[in-house]
Amino acid sequence: MHRDESRDTDGRRETPDGPDGLSVWATAQQTGPVQRRGRYVPESVKHPARMLPAIAAHAVHAYTQPGDLVLDPMCGIGTTLVEAIHAGRDAIGVEYEPRWSNIADANITHAHHQGATGRASVVRGDATRLASLLPAALAGQVALVVTSPPYGPAVHGLVRPGADGVAKFDNTYNDGTDKGNLAYRDLTGLADGFEQILLGCAILLRPGGTVVVTVRPWRKNGQLVDLPSAVIAAGVRAGLVPTERCVALLAAVRDGHLVARPSFFQLQAVRKARAGGTPLHLITHEDVLIFRRPQISSGSQEPEHPDD
C-alpha cells in the first residue's frame, strides 16, 4: 500500500510526517523496533547500525517520485531499499558483508510478500568501487542516494542480562578482523573511502539528483570526532553541491518535549563520562546532509549554479 502524497500551495510534497520543507524530521515518533515489527525479518535487529525506517521513508517521499530509482551504496539490512519499494520506487543496494546482504535480500522478499510494488536488488561488493560493481547503463539514472557511513566498530548492538552482568552481542560490523571495512578506519581513512563512494554515486546520479547522508559525530578518548564536517568535505571533493543540513530526530516529540530513546550503549557511554566529570548528554538526533549533483546546461559541459 502506497502512502498518499500531495502538494501544498507552494508546490512542496507532503508526507505523513508533515511538509518535507521542514529541516527537522520527526522520524522517531515510534521506536525502531515498532517501526520494523512485521515489516522486516526478525534477523534485521542483529545489524549494529540500523537506520530508522522513517528516516529512509521521509527521504524517499521528499526527494523522489513513484518509479524513480533509489540507491544505497552501504545498504546493510536494506532499510532504504525496503522503504523505497513500499513507496513504489525501484532500488538497488551495495553491501560489503554477506551476512547483511543476505538479510537485505530476505527483507526485499518479505516486502514483496506484503505488497511492495517496486523492484530491488542487492549487489555484494566494495562500494568504493561502484563503477566496477554496477552496470554502466545505470550511469545518470539514479534519482536519489540514501546512505550512512559507519560510526566506528561498535554502535548499537544487543544486550542480554546474565549472572555475570550484561553480555553484549551483535555489536560490531563483523568479527573485527577485516580491516577493509570502513568501520575500522580512522577518520581520515573513513573520509577518503566515503569520498570514493560519493564519486561513484555522482556518476550514477541523474543531473539534479539528490544524495542524503545521515551521520553523527562520535567521541574517541574523550574528544569529539566531527564526522559530519568530514562528510561534507568529501561530498564537495566528489563534485556534489551541499544544499541542506537537516535534523532527523531519534527522540519522540510529546507535548512539546523530546522523549529520548537511547540505546544501552549510549546510556552506558553517557553515564561513564559523567562519572568521570564530563557532562555529556544523550544523543537525540542525526545530522542529515543533503547534496545535489549539479545540473548540466544543454549548451555547455559546465555545471549550472546551485541556485539556478
Side-chain angles (χ1 to χ4, degrees):
M1 182 176 178
H2 299 280
R3 296 185 181 184
D4 291 332
E5 291 181 347
S6 60
R7 292 183 178 271
D8 64 16
T9 55
D10 295 324
R12 295 179 302 179
R13 280 193 299 280
E14 295 274 356
T15 73
D17 296 322
D20 61 24
L22 294 179
S23 63
V24 178
W25 301 2
T27 46
Q29 295 299 87
Q30 296 177 315
T31 64
V34 170
Q35 291 186 29
R36 297 185 193 94
R37 188 175 301 147
R39 196 173 178 88
Y40 292 79
V41 299
E43 293 79 11
S44 299
V45 300
K46 295 181 178 180
H47 194 281
R50 304 172 298 279
M51 181 184 291
L52 280 177
I55 294 178
H58 186 106
V60 166
H61 283 276
Y63 297 103
T64 65
Q65 296 286 351
D68 281 346
L69 179 61
V70 178
L71 167 69
D72 188 341
M74 305 177 74
C75 72
I77 60 170
T79 301
T80 297
L81 314 186
V82 168
E83 298 307 318
I85 64 177
H86 271 298
R89 281 69 166 169
D90 294 331
I92 187 167
V94 174
E95 175 51 40
Y96 184 73
E97 296 190 39
R99 180 186 186 188
W100 310 129
S101 65
N102 290 338
I103 294 176
D105 278 337
N107 278 324
I108 291 168
T109 299
H110 184 64
H112 284 145
H113 289 162
Q114 292 184 317
T117 58
R119 299 168 297 174
S121 61
V122 181
V123 175
R124 281 78 171 169
D126 184 349
T128 63
R129 300 180 175 90
L130 279 180
S132 62
L133 283 177
L134 301 180
L138 288 179
Q141 301 302 307
V142 173
L144 172 67
V145 174
V146 181
T147 198
S148 180
Y151 307 131
V155 183
H156 302 313
L158 302 174
V159 294
R160 180 185 297 119
D164 298 325
V166 175
K168 303 176 184 178
F169 60 102
D170 291 324
N171 61 321
T172 58
Y173 286 91
N174 54 28
D175 59 9
T177 61
D178 184 357
K179 301 308 179 183
N181 191 315
L182 288 185
Y184 297 96
R185 297 187 186 183
D186 60 14
L187 179 61
T188 300
L190 175 56
D192 289 344
F194 202 65
E195 179 185 346
Q196 293 302 310
I197 293 173
L198 293 178
L199 279 167
C201 291
I203 294 172
L204 296 168
L205 280 168
R206 67 191 184 191
T210 303
V211 177
V212 172
V213 182
T214 64
V215 64
R216 71 179 79 157
W218 77 84
R219 289 188 177 271
K220 184 175 182 180
N221 300 325
Q223 295 186 350
L224 191 68
V225 179
D226 189 5
L227 183 56
S229 293
V231 168
I232 292 174
V236 171
R237 292 195 301 270
L240 299 171
V241 179
T243 57
E244 298 178 76
R245 187 165 186 167
C246 298
V247 165
L249 291 181
L250 304 175
V253 180
R254 297 284 186 267
D255 299 324
H257 299 279
L258 292 178
V259 179
R261 304 192 189 279
S263 69
F264 169 86
F265 296 86
Q266 292 166 346
L267 280 173
Q268 186 182 51
V270 169
R271 286 168 177 166
K272 284 184 177 180
R274 289 184 174 180
T278 302
L280 292 190
H281 297 81
L282 291 173
I283 296 171
T284 58
H285 78 279
E286 287 190 311
D287 287 10
V288 184
L289 309 178
I290 300 167
F291 304 86
R292 193 182 70 178
R293 179 186 170 183
Q295 295 277 2
I296 304 298
S297 62
S298 58
S300 170
Q301 295 302 308
E302 293 297 321
E304 294 179 358
H305 190 277
D307 294 328
D308 288 347

